[in-house]
Amino acid sequence: LLAACRNPAVGGSPGFYQSLALAQPEVGKARVLPVKRGGGTLDVVVYGSAGGLGANRVAALQELFAGQRELGIDVLVREAETIPVELEVSIQVREGWDYDTVASACRQAFIREMAALEIGESFPRARVFQMIMSQQGVQNCTVTLPAGDTTPGEDQLLVDGYVTVNKMEGQA
């Protein structure tokens, strides 16, 4: 709601272009970057709801936007560059809990967290601790990767990379 108020979808506004992109069934994420290439330019960065869109679909979106753009505005539609984020954690499982079940929940939580990120949104390392510790059955954890906060460029999207969940040393 706050994003809609800050960026209303009225003709020619960045909100209009973002709404148009998100109205396409295969587009899951969109970000508008005004004046990215200079005055009178507007970049629409998109990512598919089921992964990458591919060159043909991006070209079709470019055609759509060429017909909807304001006069004097050069609109460029392009796909977000994906940056895989690797996760390596060690967990200590509470007594009575099955390690494989808890480790699987941790993996799935990470995948969900990454899928919820928007184009250009960062992923603070502290969020990993919060995410892992909020899983039922986790007693404690250490995080090896990511080694720090992960901050993409404004036209990049963080996606899940390889995920490793180990047992903490000393746990059977």
Side-chain angles (χ1 to χ4, degrees):
L1 180 60
L2 287 174
C5 290
R6 289 185 188 119
N7 202 7
V10 293
S13 73
F16 166 77
Y17 292 102
Q18 184 172 22
S19 293
L20 182 59
L22 292 172
Q24 308 313 305
E26 66 282 345
V27 175
K29 299 174 189 290
R31 182 166 188 193
V32 177
L33 305 172
V35 299
K36 173 80 173 163
R37 295 171 288 120
T41 67
L42 187 127
D43 290 12
V44 181
V45 184
V46 294
Y47 189 72
S49 51
L53 290 171
N56 289 340
R57 193 60 204 131
V58 171
L61 289 169
Q62 178 67 48
E63 242 179 80
L64 171 70
F65 278 87
Q68 298 289 325
R69 69 177 176 80
E70 291 286 310
L71 288 175
I73 300 294
D74 176 21
V75 177
L76 174 66
V77 178
R78 56 195 172 94
E79 194 159 13
E81 176 188 354
T82 56
I83 308 293
V85 177
E86 300 166 351
L87 176 71
E88 185 175 335
V89 297
S90 296
I91 60 171
Q92 179 182 7
V93 177
R94 292 185 186 280
E95 192 174 319
W97 286 83
D98 176 60
Y99 164 78
D100 291 330
T101 302
V102 175
S104 177
C106 291
R107 285 185 200 92
Q108 292 307 311
F110 178 69
I111 292 168
R112 281 191 307 275
E113 285 282 325
M114 300 312 297
L117 292 175
E118 295 298 327
I119 297 169
E121 185 178 354
S122 64
F123 186 67
R125 186 168 190 251
R127 198 160 160 185
V128 177
F129 287 98
Q130 179 184 25
M131 173 193 63
I132 298 298
M133 292 304 297
S134 70
Q135 300 308 304
Q136 289 188 340
V138 174
Q139 173 91 20
N140 196 4
C141 74
T142 58
V143 177
T144 307
L145 291 174
D149 295 346
T150 309
T151 305
E154 63 187 356
D155 59 352
Q156 296 175 323
L157 177 65
L158 300 177
V159 295
D160 56 283
Y162 82 81
V163 179
T164 305
V165 180
N166 300 308
K167 285 184 183 179
M168 250 185 184
E169 284 188 35
Q171 186 169 20

